């Protein structure tokens, strides 16, 4: 056996920063910037609120398809080719958004942007995790998701800071301008990573993959599905709900998204720490309870109190759900690598696509946006129930 390669603190910082910036670009400047943009685009008469929900659904459909592509093309050599390709797709589609008010073109472009998001969101963390595993630093992998929290703050500032002098399609220009240098630098760093295709584990034995779907993983997948549907409603419609419920000029009309961003930034570190202290499964169940309380608050207390509680509690938990579920899944199936991550993201993407679609059906049938958040409440209850059905990995592996 050869000794594991080492990484200097500077190398670790550079790799994690590059991954964080890549996720910031595709997941916040690509996806989540649409959330604070939505009330402005509706007010600009670019489209209606139900049409806005439909556009979000197309984006999430693309995200699902991108994750499924990543399941198919999960080898390291394929990741090296696809990462720069789909970051370029993100930049191109964001530029197209600055030029059109046509709903069909907008929907198609947002679908393709979602494909790019799905591929990169799976492949960049997976590539970094494999690099870290070879250097015995796998526990640091969750820090790459700090880019999502930071990106929420960036997206909030870009939208609110330019709200008074941009209109309609022009509102996408800040995202396009910021994406170009960040995407280029990030992907150049990730392409340099020395990650061989692993055919043997650390003991020299040939790697054999266990089935992804079994009695242990099914409740975990179902729990994750509930999480995806539960969190996506506030993460898509919270600023629009604030616009509806609060008087014109109220600071929370932009402030709700800022609160989400601020509480998302420390979330990866917090939930990694809680998982280490109390165990990943107990931490995941606590995560669901807190997140459920946040969405429920928006339903029970319409107005400022419910909006603030929803922003704080959902913002501080949803990345923890991702990290803890991915970690538990990897513990149940330790040899699946990027394929496991892709399967999880594909499922998450499907439920996120269903959320805006259900909201559109609810609004079209005369329902209110605040009552639509009840869908998220039910989904998180569903996820919490199945989180209690997931076996501890050490118990599962010792059953024979």
């Amino acid at each position: 056996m050869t000794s594991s390669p080492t990484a200097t603190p500077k190398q670790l910082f550079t790799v994690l920063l590059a991954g964080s910036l890549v996720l910031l670009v595709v997941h916040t400047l690509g996806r989540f910037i649409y959330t604070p943009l939505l009330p402005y685009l509706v007010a600009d008469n670019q489209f209606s609120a139900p049409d806005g929900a439909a556009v979000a659904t197309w984006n999430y459909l693309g995200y699902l398809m991108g994750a499924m592509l990543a399941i198919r093309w999960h080898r390291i050599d394929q990741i090296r080719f696809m990462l720069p390709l789909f970051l370029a797709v993100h930049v191109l589609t964001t530029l197209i958004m600055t030029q059109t008010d046509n709903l069909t073109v907008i929907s198609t472009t947002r679908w393709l942007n979602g494909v790019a998001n799905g591929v990169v969101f799976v492949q960049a963390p997976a590539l970094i995790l494999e690099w870290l595993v070879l250097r015995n630093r796998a526990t640091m992998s969750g820090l790459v998701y700090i880019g999502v929290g930071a990106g929420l703050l960036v997206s909030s500032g870009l939208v609110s800071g330019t709200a008074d002098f941009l209109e309609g399609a022009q509102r996408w220009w800040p995202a396009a301008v910021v994406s170009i240098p960040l995407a280029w630098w990030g992907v150049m760093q990730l392409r340099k990573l020395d990650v061989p295709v692993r055919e043997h584990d650390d003991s020299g034995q040939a790697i054999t993959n266990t089935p992804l779907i079994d009695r242990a993983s099914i409740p975990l997948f179902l729990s994750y599905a509930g999480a995806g549907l539960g969190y996506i409603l506030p993460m898509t419609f919270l600023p629009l709900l604030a616009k509806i419920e609060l008087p014109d000029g109220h600071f929370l009309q932009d402030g709700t998204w800022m609160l989400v961003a601020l509480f998302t930034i420390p979330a990866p570190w917090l939930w990694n720490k809680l998982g280490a202290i109390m165990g990943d499964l107990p931490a995941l169940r606590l995560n669901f309870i807190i997140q459920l309380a946040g969405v429920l608050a928006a339903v029970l207390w319409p107005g400022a109190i419910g909006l603030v509680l929803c922003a704080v509690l959902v913002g501080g938990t949803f990345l923890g759900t991702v990290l803890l579920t991915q970690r538990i899944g990897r513990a149940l199936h330790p040899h699946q690598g990027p394929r496991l991550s892709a399967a999880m993201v594909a499922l998450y993407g499907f439920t996120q696509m269903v959320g805006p679609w259900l909201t559109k059906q609810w609004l079209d049938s005369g329902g209110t946006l605040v009552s639509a958040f009840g869908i998220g409440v039910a989904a998180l209850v569903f996820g919490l129930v199945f989180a209690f059905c997931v076996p501890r990995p050490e118990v599962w592996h010792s059953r024979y």
Side-chain angles (χ1 to χ4, degrees):
M1 290 179 60
T2 59
S3 60
S4 299
T6 59
T8 66
K10 181 181 178 181
Q11 288 173 320
L12 289 168
F13 176 79
T14 300
V15 170
L16 291 171
L17 177 61
S20 293
L21 290 179
V22 165
L23 295 190
L24 184 156
V25 167
V26 297
H27 210 59
T28 55
L29 300 182
R31 164 182 285 201
F32 283 132
I33 197 170
Y34 182 73
T35 304
L37 277 175
L38 181 57
Y40 289 107
L41 298 176
V42 171
D44 293 341
N45 295 316
Q46 190 178 53
F47 43 64
S48 66
D51 286 338
V55 170
T57 302
W58 279 109
N59 183 250
Y60 300 159
L61 173 61
Y63 182 73
L64 168 62
M65 296 174 71
M68 293 177 71
L69 284 175
I71 296 176
R72 173 63 180 84
W73 288 295
H74 62 274
R75 296 200 320 266
I76 297 300
D77 55 331
Q78 294 166 333
I79 291 175
R80 292 188 192 281
F81 172 75
M82 293 179 72
L83 261 181
L85 173 64
F86 281 97
L87 277 164
V89 170
H90 160 83
V91 170
L92 179 61
T93 52
T94 307
L95 286 170
I96 291 172
M97 290 297 296
T98 68
Q99 303 299 310
T100 183
D101 290 314
N102 182 281
L103 185 60
T104 301
V105 176
I106 289 172
S107 298
T108 303
T109 304
R110 292 297 292 159
W111 164 76
L112 189 54
N113 184 273
V115 174
N117 183 12
V119 171
V120 175
F121 195 75
V122 169
Q123 292 191 340
L127 179 64
I128 290 170
L129 178 57
E130 295 304 313
W131 185 83
L132 290 170
V133 165
L134 291 172
R135 288 152 182 83
N136 298 316
R137 296 297 188 96
T139 54
M140 300 183 70
S141 62
L143 298 178
V144 74
Y145 292 98
I146 291 176
V148 177
L152 294 179
L153 198 60
V154 170
S155 67
S156 178
L158 289 176
V159 172
S160 59
T162 59
D164 293 338
F165 55 88
L166 297 179
E167 185 176 359
Q170 298 172 351
R171 296 188 186 277
W172 286 96
W173 270 114
V177 170
V178 173
S179 289
I180 294 170
L182 297 185
W184 179 82
W185 185 85
V187 80
M188 287 301 101
Q189 302 306 312
L190 295 184
R191 280 176 58 84
K192 297 176 185 177
L193 296 187
D194 179 19
V195 183
V197 178
R198 300 185 77 199
E199 297 179 353
H200 298 83
D201 62 20
D202 294 334
S203 66
Q205 298 296 315
I207 291 176
T208 57
N209 287 337
T210 54
L212 270 181
I213 307 298
D214 58 21
R215 285 180 292 135
S217 63
I218 285 174
L220 184 65
F221 276 103
L222 290 173
S223 176
Y224 205 42
L229 179 55
Y231 101 99
I232 200 59
L233 291 171
M235 291 300 288
T236 304
F237 298 111
L238 193 61
L240 184 59
L241 184 62
K243 189 89 169 178
I244 293 170
E245 292 185 346
L246 301 175
D248 290 341
H250 197 289
F251 77 97
L252 282 176
Q253 287 192 354
D254 288 323
T256 51
W257 193 244
M258 185 72 74
L259 282 173
V260 170
L262 288 172
F263 279 83
T264 299
I265 292 172
W269 176 88
L270 172 65
W271 289 104
N272 266 328
K273 195 74 173 177
L274 286 174
I277 293 172
M278 61 190 301
D280 287 341
L281 268 175
L284 180 65
R285 293 160 186 163
L286 174 63
N287 179 283
F288 266 100
I289 292 169
I290 296 172
Q291 196 167 175
L292 172 61
V295 183
L296 191 60
V299 177
L300 296 180
W301 296 296
I305 294 177
L307 290 167
V308 168
L309 286 173
C310 185
V312 168
L313 297 182
V314 174
T317 51
F318 81 91
L319 281 180
T321 317
V322 174
L323 298 176
L324 293 168
T325 304
Q326 294 275 358
R327 187 188 292 172
I328 294 165
R330 182 170 285 275
L332 291 170
H333 299 289
H335 304 309
Q336 289 290 356
R339 187 165 167 257
L340 172 69
S341 177
M344 288 283 193
V345 172
L347 176 64
Y348 211 50
F350 173 74
T351 56
Q352 291 171 66
M353 179 189 69
V354 170
W357 180 82
L358 287 174
T359 302
K360 183 178 187 303
Q361 307 312 307
W362 184 257
L363 295 176
D364 285 344
S365 65
T368 63
L369 188 57
V370 68
S371 62
F373 274 50
I375 300 170
V377 171
L380 287 168
V381 170
F382 177 90
L384 176 61
V385 168
F386 279 100
F388 279 95
C389 299
V390 179
R392 290 182 178 272
E394 62 271 19
V395 174
W396 175 252
H397 291 304
S398 64
R399 66 196 184 280
Y400 297 123

